[in-house]
Amino acid sequence: MKRYLPAKWVVACLLMIFIWVTGCAKHNMSVLDPQGPVGKVQLNLLYLSTGIMTFVVIVVAVIYIYVVVRYRERPGDEEKDPPEQVAGSKKLEILWTSVPILLLIVLAIPTISTTFTLNKKPDPDHSIRINVIGYQYWWGFEYPDYKVTTSNEVHIPTGKKVEFILKAHDVIHSFWVPSLGGKEDLTPGRTTRLVLQADKPGIYEGKCTELCGASHALMRFRVVAHQPEDFEDWIASQVTPDSTPKNKQAEQGRRLFAQNCIGCHAIRGAGYKVLGRTAPELTAFSERTRIAGVLDNNRANLKSWLKNPQGIKPGNRMPAFDHLTDQQVEAMVEYLETLK
Ligand code: HEC
Ligand SMILES: [Cu+2]
């Protein structure tokens, strides 16, 4: 049998298809499956521009193929017979100037008007404000209207516009929740804004999309959307957190935390006199789904994080606590994993 394709080409094609389909996993991170009005409007713009592009590609390809076939050299053609040379055709010049202008107008009108609509300041009675601060390599979230702070997991109510007010603590970061809408940069010394909305309760994955250092790829976060009543419950639980140690071991953990960790981290409602602000707030830590945005929140993972944070997120600003004994680390794990 005749072989049409060399084996290495087949392998290369399969590899490419494989890499391509790895993007198909169910990860709640698809711009093509928007979960709120902002993402939907932006997807429509995407379809419009892709539609126009496809139209242009098809027209150009058809003309090109037609010309190549129709005017190709045929056997018997005399070389001394060059094709007729034409220069300047008013009709053609007008056509290929006006068609692109028209296409650009069709693209520009909805794009500009949508940009302005999406950037409008939402009505304060039907929206909430959240300050977002980007740090190497974690996210701080503040609810200025409720005096609540949290990190790496931001809770929002469904069906309401959420105005994110973005600031960078150190270098440029970029805030992106693909299934809710487009991204926005966080730039040191500047404040930027992004309005998003989720229609359904659920967890939406977010990511930093501006190369910001060694652990940029691990600078992940989650948006947790609740029904408005459940959101109010969540806020209430954050305003008065239950931060008292539940047993002897946790009591020891609380003391160790005061000696080793409070300079950077804060836990509200635990009776600490100072609260660190250079690291993620850990109030109600047991209710988080992840540790540092990358590990599932469980005791084994928390222990690994405390022993070797640099092995998990290279270059991050938390030192290793390998001088503490296993027993001491376990006491802190017990304490943190019972904070509600
Ligand atoms: C020098 C400041 C510093 C000290 C001291 C420190 N940490 Fe951290 N910690 C950080 C920073 C910065 C991060 C964020 C790392 C990242 O994700 O980039 C962090 C992250 C964490 C996280 C994950 C937070 C989240 O939102 O998921 C936990 C849990 C944690 N630290 C616990 C501790 C404990 C327990 C101690 C004391 C034994 C401690 N840290 C001491 C700076 C510190
Ligand atoms: Cu970043």
Side-chain angles (χ1 to χ4, degrees):
M1 202 185 98
K2 195 173 166 217
R3 288 219 347 237
Y4 290 95
L5 265 179
K8 63 179 175 200
W9 280 98
V10 176
V11 171
C13 289
L14 285 177
L15 252 175
M16 271 174 63
I17 292 171
F18 173 73
I19 292 170
W20 187 46
V21 297
T22 51
C24 296
K26 186 96 193 94
H27 46 33
N28 237 344
M29 281 188 95
S30 177
V31 171
L32 302 176
D33 182 20
Q35 301 296 319
V38 177
K40 282 177 190 157
V41 172
Q42 290 173 341
L43 181 60
N44 286 340
L45 282 181
L46 209 77
Y47 283 146
L48 178 69
S49 56
T50 314
I52 292 178
M53 274 190 296
T54 314
F55 170 74
V56 171
V57 167
I58 290 174
V59 169
V60 171
V62 166
I63 295 176
Y64 175 77
I65 292 167
Y66 172 78
V67 169
V68 166
V69 174
R70 173 84 174 73
Y71 298 104
R72 72 189 188 281
E73 192 183 288
R74 293 184 172 79
D77 281 359
E78 292 286 332
E79 219 176 279
K80 57 185 178 333
D81 259 2
E84 190 196 337
Q85 300 296 307
V86 278
S89 154
K90 262 218 181 91
K91 241 202 260 164
L92 276 179
E93 295 283 353
I94 291 174
L95 189 71
W96 64 48
T97 309
S98 52
V99 170
I101 290 178
L102 269 177
L103 290 180
L104 286 182
I105 290 175
V106 170
L107 193 60
I109 291 174
T111 305
I112 294 172
S113 79
T114 308
T115 306
F116 280 98
T117 318
L118 291 182
N119 207 30
K120 239 193 242 145
K121 221 178 156 51
D123 169 10
D125 291 339
H126 300 282
S127 64
I128 74 161
R129 280 187 305 155
I130 299 176
N131 296 332
V132 180
I133 303 117
Y135 299 81
Q136 283 171 316
Y137 303 102
W138 59 280
W139 299 89
F141 299 105
E142 296 168 1
Y143 296 73
D145 302 328
Y146 301 95
K147 305 250 175 315
V148 163
T149 316
T150 184
S151 58
N152 292 330
E153 265 172 38
V154 58
H155 293 243
I156 63 169
T158 53
K160 258 194 184 180
K161 290 208 162 71
V162 183
E163 185 184 15
F164 291 102
I165 299 156
L166 311 165
K167 287 185 180 149
H169 177 74
D170 34 44
V171 298
I172 305 180
H173 302 277
S174 184
F175 182 87
W176 194 27
V177 189
S179 44
L180 297 185
K183 49 183 109 162
E184 182 64 60
D185 276 0
L186 295 77
T187 313
R190 272 192 69 191
T191 302
T192 44
R193 301 167 51 251
L194 181 68
V195 179
L196 297 176
Q197 178 177 331
D199 285 337
K200 283 180 287 179
I203 292 183
Y204 305 102
E205 304 287 343
K207 239 177 170 307
C208 176
T209 58
E210 181 68 63
L211 183 59
C212 60
S215 277
H216 156 70
L218 303 173
M219 188 167 163
R220 290 160 50 178
F221 64 100
R222 280 184 156 167
V223 177
V224 184
H226 304 275
Q227 303 279 13
E229 318 81 80
D230 299 342
F231 174 74
E232 292 300 326
D233 289 350
W234 179 80
I235 284 283
S237 76
Q238 295 288 309
V239 172
T240 50
D242 176 6
S243 302
T244 43
K246 306 287 179 300
N247 54 44
K248 267 241 160 62
Q249 195 189 18
E251 179 55 52
Q252 183 199 0
R254 200 196 90 92
R255 275 198 312 276
L256 285 163
F257 196 90
Q259 289 157 11
N260 294 286
C261 326
I262 200 71
C264 296
H265 291 280
I267 295 177
R268 283 177 292 116
Y272 295 121
K273 291 203 187 64
V274 276
L275 293 176
R277 286 287 169 218
T278 58
E281 172 151 338
L282 300 177
T283 310
F285 182 74
S286 74
E287 305 200 330
R288 303 270 188 80
T289 60
R290 290 228 186 102
I291 301 168
V294 290
L295 300 173
D296 284 337
N297 187 2
N298 60 43
R299 286 167 189 250
N301 283 344
L302 183 54
K303 210 170 152 181
S304 332
W305 172 261
L306 296 182
K307 292 223 146 202
N308 186 14
Q310 295 300 321
I312 292 161
K313 267 182 145 173
N316 87 74
R317 305 273 153 91
M318 171 150 160
F321 283 87
D322 43 10
H323 61 279
L324 297 177
T325 65
D326 258 19
Q327 191 273 336
Q328 288 173 316
V329 171
E330 262 150 34
M332 277 192 292
V333 169
E334 170 69 20
Y335 176 50
L336 290 174
E337 292 293 3
T338 49
L339 290 174
K340 290 210 185 82

